[in-house]
Amino acid sequence: MRLNRTAGFRWSWGLAGVLLVAMAACDPPQPTPAAGGAATPAELQAGEAKFNANCSVCHGQQGTGTAQGPPLVHKIYEPNHHGDAAFQRAAAGGVRAHHWEFGNMPKIDALTSADVDQIIQYVRWLQKQAGIF
């Protein structure tokens, strides 16, 4: 019995194709925020404190998410997908759930626009530390 090299070639490319598609469909794990234990820069510590006081209950320490809210250190929240204005609108008016299954986000009355700007700078730093953008 002769082996049909063409059939074997097709099979191996078929298997490789399936594996490539499966790998592409997987959401790779995101790097840990502030990888390497980088300390929060002094100019971002006010934003970190405001994040911890107002956002971390749902969005987790360092924006990693919880059972109540999504991670902000995630590619969905990179500046090209959710710009800084989206964070401002979310804090000022709340957000209907659309990416995740956590439910709607209420508005955060305790934060001013300037507070949210500081929080955004801190979150963007976390994202950069994690290699998001």
Side-chain angles (χ1 to χ4, degrees):
M1 173 181 231
R2 279 187 354 173
L3 289 176
N4 184 334
R5 290 183 186 184
T6 305
F9 181 74
R10 285 185 192 143
W11 179 85
S12 64
W13 273 105
L15 180 59
V18 168
L19 289 174
L20 286 173
V21 168
M23 288 170 54
C26 293
D27 190 17
Q30 297 297 314
T32 303
T40 304
E43 66 272 14
L44 300 176
Q45 289 176 0
E48 178 182 32
K50 289 173 184 174
F51 179 89
N52 289 339
N54 296 281
C55 310
S56 66
V57 145
C58 293
H59 293 290
Q61 290 296 312
Q62 296 185 322
T64 57
T66 69
Q68 289 78 41
L72 298 178
V73 179
H74 189 281
K75 63 186 175 184
I76 284 180
Y77 293 103
E78 70 177 334
N80 291 331
H81 193 260
H82 280 88
D84 295 354
F87 284 85
Q88 286 286 351
R89 285 190 304 272
V95 180
R96 273 190 38 225
H98 58 286
H99 286 299
W100 309 94
E101 298 292 327
F102 296 103
N104 297 335
M105 176 183 156
K107 65 181 182 173
I108 311 298
D109 290 322
L111 295 173
T112 67
S113 179
D115 293 333
V116 177
D117 280 338
Q118 290 179 320
I119 291 169
I120 291 167
Q121 290 174 7
Y122 170 67
V123 169
R124 296 301 188 207
W125 176 77
L126 289 172
Q127 291 172 338
K128 285 180 185 176
Q129 295 300 304
I132 302 292
F133 71 99

